[in-house]
Amino acid sequence: MKKCCILMLLSVMLCFTSCVDIEEHYDFKLDGSCNVVYGFDMGRAVSVFMNLMSDSVKATPQFNVVKDTTLNFYTALPDSIERKLNIDEANMAKSSSLSIKMDLKKNVMKMSISHLAKNAADLEYYLKHLSKISMNNQLDAVTKNSDPARGFNAQQLVAGQDYYSYEVTPHKFYRIVDKVKFNAFLKKTQTTLVMAKAMLIDMPYKVILNFAKPVKKVNNPKAIVSADRKRVTLITTMDDAIKDPTVMNLKIDF
């Protein structure tokens, strides 16, 4: 019963990831560990889609639930996905947390996934495997029929995070967009992106990296480096990325 309730919440959230404010936070520690948080604020999505929903849909239990909870990410996964995880993926999920804040009547819909990576290798593994676990294609069957935007399959926008390639070492954080994968992602999500633009939905994307020591080099000219050189911030949008995928590249030496 617990997993059924959680799955219902996840399916509702995935329906709304069309106009979502996405933020990635990385906090690198002196001991080599790093706390990483993926945050998804879907409040604007709720306000947009509420105008598209019928009164009968608004009256369903899903849209009257109020939640403010944090749980183990592994326990939130459907059994069908759990069975497909290898040992390393399962351990990664078990060491991650999922936080949910939900009050649709107040346009509140937030989700965050956090993980404490023990070292650079652990962080690289996490970044390369998170989208595979959290956005497994088996979730399509759950979300596609409940989408209030009638075919606006917005969960693809987050699932597309696997178009990055990562290289992480104790003194390096490199993230490069694989253009072949990115173009495949654009082709797959073309309908979703067109609908988002027609609805005047923008998709801001922010990456914040905090370092224990000043960074030595940052290759992205759009990245903002703090005065003490311990924070790097990159702010862009999906429109910018479509025009030039390299705006999302980050090569940081620290």
Side-chain angles (χ1 to χ4, degrees):
M1 178 63 69
K2 178 182 177 183
K3 287 194 175 183
C4 288
C5 293
I6 294 171
L7 183 58
M8 179 186 71
L9 288 174
L10 289 175
S11 67
V12 173
M13 285 187 290
L14 287 172
C15 290
F16 289 118
T17 51
S18 50
C19 51
V20 53
D21 294 287
I22 303 174
E23 287 195 11
E24 294 181 42
H25 285 257
Y26 298 82
D27 290 306
F28 292 86
K29 310 299 182 182
L30 281 172
D31 63 2
S33 64
C34 179
N35 187 58
V36 55
V37 179
Y38 280 87
F40 306 91
D41 186 345
M42 291 154 272
R44 291 187 305 114
V46 175
S47 63
V48 170
F49 286 132
M50 276 296 189
N51 295 324
L52 303 176
M53 297 175 194
S54 65
D55 291 338
S56 60
V57 173
K58 293 179 183 179
T60 59
Q62 293 95 321
F63 292 96
N64 288 278
V65 172
V66 176
K67 287 284 183 180
D68 188 351
T69 185
T70 298
L71 57 151
N72 184 273
F73 185 45
Y74 183 79
T75 65
L77 296 174
D79 293 336
S80 59
I81 294 180
E82 283 185 19
R83 289 192 292 268
K84 290 184 174 293
L85 301 182
N86 60 39
I87 294 177
D88 290 334
E89 290 170 341
N91 288 335
M92 184 189 83
K94 290 176 182 178
S95 62
S96 302
S97 298
L98 173 67
S99 296
I100 300 169
K101 289 186 178 181
M102 178 178 178
D103 188 344
L104 298 181
K105 289 184 177 180
K106 296 181 179 180
N107 294 334
V108 175
M109 176 72 79
K110 296 181 179 180
M111 178 180 73
S112 64
I113 302 173
S114 60
H115 176 78
L116 179 60
K118 300 184 294 293
N119 49 46
D122 187 14
L123 177 59
E124 182 173 306
Y125 184 88
Y126 176 77
L127 295 174
K128 289 180 176 179
H129 290 79
L130 176 63
S131 63
K132 175 184 176 183
I133 294 175
S134 61
M135 296 299 167
N136 188 289
N137 288 334
Q138 294 186 54
L139 288 179
D140 288 346
V142 178
T143 61
K144 67 182 181 181
N145 292 325
S146 58
D147 195 334
R150 300 175 184 176
F152 194 67
N153 191 11
Q155 61 126 334
Q156 295 171 332
L157 299 181
V158 181
Q161 295 290 322
D162 65 356
Y163 47 65
Y164 291 121
S165 62
Y166 290 92
E167 181 182 357
V168 184
T169 74
H171 301 288
K172 182 187 296 184
F173 180 89
Y174 287 8
R175 184 185 75 177
I176 305 297
V177 174
D178 183 318
K179 292 185 179 180
V180 174
K181 289 185 177 181
F182 187 71
N183 288 334
F185 157 75
L186 292 180
K187 183 176 181 180
K188 182 179 180 181
T189 60
Q190 183 177 9
T191 300
T192 300
L193 294 170
V194 169
M195 291 183 68
K197 195 166 186 177
M199 296 168 67
L200 302 179
I201 295 173
D202 61 341
M203 286 162 276
Y205 181 55
K206 180 186 291 186
V207 185
I208 300 173
L209 305 100
N210 295 309
F211 296 89
K213 295 182 178 181
V215 299
K216 298 176 181 178
K217 184 179 179 181
V218 181
N219 83 322
N220 190 323
K222 292 185 177 295
I224 302 170
V225 182
S226 63
D228 62 2
R229 299 192 66 82
K230 290 186 178 181
R231 170 175 287 197
V232 178
T233 304
L234 177 64
I235 302 174
T236 185
T237 67
M238 182 57 69
D239 279 345
D240 291 338
I242 291 173
K243 296 173 184 175
D244 179 13
T246 64
V247 299
M248 298 187 292
N249 289 347
L250 276 174
K251 283 188 176 182
I252 304 173
D253 295 292
F254 57 94

